[in-house]
Amino acid sequence: MSDEDTIGGDDRHDLTAAEYALGVLGAEDRRAVEFRMASEPKFAAEVAFWETRLGGLAEAVPAVVPPTKVWAGIEDRLSASLSPPRERTGFWNSLAFWRTFAIASAGLASASMAGLVYLAQIPSLGPPLLATLDEQSGQPGFLAAANPADGTVTVVPAALLTGALQQSYELWVIPPGGKPHSLGLVDPKRSVKVVVPPELLPHVSADSTLAISIEPVGGSPTGQPTGPVIANGKLASL
Amino acid sequence: MDADARRRQLAAAINRVAAGDQAALRLVYAETSAKLFGVCLRILGERSEAEDVLQEVYLTVWRKAASFEESVASPITWLVAIARNRSIDRLRASGSSRASLPIEAAAEVPDPGLSAVERLEIGEDQARLRDCLHELEERQSTAIRAAFLDGFTYDELAAKANVPLGTMKSWIRRGLLKLRTCLER
């Protein structure tokens, strides 16, 4: 394998992005890549580069018209995800508000402003850490406010999520350079306050990453993320 | 409608989806679902699975439309990436082995007889990619095509080509490096 030796360290790094885009990686490696995409924008851009360039290969695949029931199913799942929030109105619970906010807010600065406003609604909350949990390449999917003083993390959906019923959304904290630790399940339709286990509290600090992955109902069976990471972001103090 | 106008229309529709326009999603679906269903079906090999994943694909489009950037990707390559990632995740989750699929099936060339609608315009990137693939050794480009089109893992590709895993990894990695150099030229 002398040829393999000519591939330098940096190139190996970048090839992981190509391997992900090409699709040769196993499930665990794919999750690891998604976590890296979450915390390294340059790496995420490399994946996008490969997805764009390799995309042309799809022209070799013949088009096949799907049965009409597929669209009907999409409509059903969309309306199922749209109607409940409309019924429980209230400005602060309104997904429309959070979604508009999510689209409008580009960075943590504006997120902090709205975060502050939101947090003002919650009585007796100490100085928090905030994170916007962005979806893979941009739009915030969740807002998170961590309160180390009482050991809780409040997670608010910012985007309209349309998950299947047979899945759970699991929240993870990833200390810089460390592995993901589960903080429990969150809800894509309403805000959830998660109580952080005492042994994980030290990880809930500035520069740790919060991420949400899709898992089987009840959460990851392995203790590590097994499904796609749908949103993530770094904690920062106000 | 020419390819450029079509691409602009599709990009505009995705942008409207980002603003929560369900009718725009319907339009994106009408324009692209046959292509994406073909992509899902090719990887999953089973109609009912592919139908289910196709639903997830468009729900993902609904959720992630705001992250679509016209300057980075053409609408169809962006959609194809979502369809492939969803299909590959489903495939890995099912853990089914697809030992029966021959690797040669992936080397087939695009059918020039496809109608304009079926040949979704992938654009200049595609012509460039084709040229660059021609510069690779045949075993490299065959393996890369098979990985892309069928979603094979390194292990599956090695087993199919009857070579050690390290050899297959080396073929593909060296192929990807050459491909990147060529694509960036």
Side-chain angles (χ1 to χ4, degrees):
Chain A
M1 288 297 135
S2 61
D3 289 26
E4 232 182 349
D5 297 336
T6 62
I7 302 173
D10 277 343
D11 286 333
R12 271 187 192 287
H13 240 217
D14 289 344
L15 277 180
T16 309
E19 288 171 319
Y20 175 83
L22 187 58
V24 286
L25 301 178
E28 237 172 77
D29 288 339
R30 286 176 65 78
R31 296 296 83 82
V33 165
E34 282 158 8
F35 268 91
R36 268 192 73 190
M37 286 166 72
S39 53
E40 297 173 38
K42 215 182 135 201
F43 180 75
E46 181 75 8
V47 172
F49 167 90
W50 281 106
E51 284 182 337
T52 303
R53 300 311 164 98
L54 292 174
L57 281 169
E59 214 190 30
V61 182
V64 182
V65 177
T68 51
K69 67 180 177 193
V70 173
W71 174 253
I74 292 169
E75 276 192 318
D76 285 353
R77 285 164 75 173
L78 268 184
S79 56
S81 77
L82 285 171
S83 39
R86 278 194 193 133
E87 286 156 18
R88 347 165 263 120
T89 45
F91 184 66
W92 291 103
N93 288 329
S94 152
L95 278 175
F97 164 74
W98 286 107
R99 187 151 201 266
T100 310
F101 158 68
I103 290 165
S105 77
L108 195 61
S110 50
S112 300
M113 290 292 290
L116 265 178
V117 175
Y118 175 70
L119 290 166
Q121 312 292 306
I122 306 169
S124 72
L125 204 63
L129 293 162
L130 292 178
T132 48
L133 275 54
D134 290 346
E135 296 185 13
Q136 226 47 272
S137 34
Q139 188 188 345
F142 290 84
L143 300 175
N147 181 12
D150 72 354
T152 62
V153 178
T154 304
V155 179
V156 184
L160 189 59
L161 295 172
T162 52
L165 291 174
Q166 307 80 358
Q167 63 192 22
S168 289
Y169 291 74
E170 191 155 359
L171 178 69
W172 306 85
V173 60
I174 309 142
K179 292 185 98 176
H181 302 276
S182 175
L183 293 180
L185 302 183
V186 296
D187 192 317
K189 295 202 174 67
R190 54 191 60 83
S191 92
V192 169
K193 190 188 259 194
V194 174
V195 178
V196 181
E199 70 274 16
L200 294 181
L201 260 183
H203 294 321
V204 181
S205 58
D207 288 332
S208 281
T209 298
L210 290 180
I212 291 171
S213 69
I214 293 188
E215 301 294 339
V217 173
S220 164
T222 69
Q224 285 293 298
T226 62
V229 176
I230 55 155
N232 62 81
K234 274 206 164 112
L235 278 169
S237 39
L238 278 174
Chain B
M1 196 185 335
D2 70 13
D4 243 20
R6 198 185 149 80
R7 176 185 159 137
R8 281 197 304 273
Q9 192 194 50
L10 193 52
I14 293 172
N15 288 331
R16 291 207 305 279
V17 172
D21 182 344
Q22 275 198 67
L25 185 70
R26 179 78 184 93
L27 183 72
V28 173
Y29 182 88
E31 286 284 305
T32 61
S33 57
K35 186 70 200 182
L36 299 195
F37 189 50
V39 168
C40 296
L41 198 55
R42 175 70 179 253
I43 291 173
L44 292 162
E46 216 251 300
R47 273 190 88 92
S48 65
E49 283 275 300
E51 287 167 13
D52 195 47
V53 169
L54 190 65
Q55 288 191 1
E56 284 179 12
V57 168
Y58 284 94
L59 291 165
T60 304
V61 170
W62 175 253
R63 233 175 4 92
K64 289 179 66 170
S67 72
F68 167 67
E69 282 184 66
E70 215 175 334
S71 58
V72 176
S74 81
I76 191 64
T77 50
W78 184 75
L79 292 163
V80 163
I82 293 173
R84 289 190 64 250
N85 281 327
R86 287 282 163 175
S87 300
I88 288 169
D89 281 338
R90 176 67 66 96
L91 194 62
R92 301 282 186 273
S94 73
S96 69
S97 159
R98 294 162 307 141
S100 57
L101 278 173
I103 193 170
E104 287 80 10
E108 69 196 31
V109 290
D111 177 358
L114 286 179
S115 75
V117 174
E118 287 168 320
R119 289 182 69 94
L120 263 190
E121 191 46 53
I122 287 172
E124 290 161 27
D125 284 348
Q126 201 246 333
R128 183 86 195 123
L129 178 72
R130 190 155 37 198
D131 291 345
C132 288
L133 280 170
H134 277 141
E135 289 185 17
L136 303 185
E137 290 168 33
E138 198 187 332
R139 62 190 186 184
Q140 291 176 329
S141 60
T142 302
I144 286 173
R145 279 199 178 89
F148 182 91
L149 295 171
D150 293 309
F152 289 132
T153 60
Y154 276 134
D155 289 300
E156 288 170 324
L157 289 165
K160 280 167 200 306
N162 203 18
V163 296
L165 178 60
T167 305
M168 180 52 73
K169 283 188 177 174
S170 173
W171 286 356
I172 289 193
R173 285 176 180 161
R174 279 185 289 141
L176 288 170
L177 282 177
K178 268 197 246 177
L179 203 54
R180 179 166 59 193
T181 309
C182 175
L183 288 169
E184 282 174 345
R185 268 208 298 267

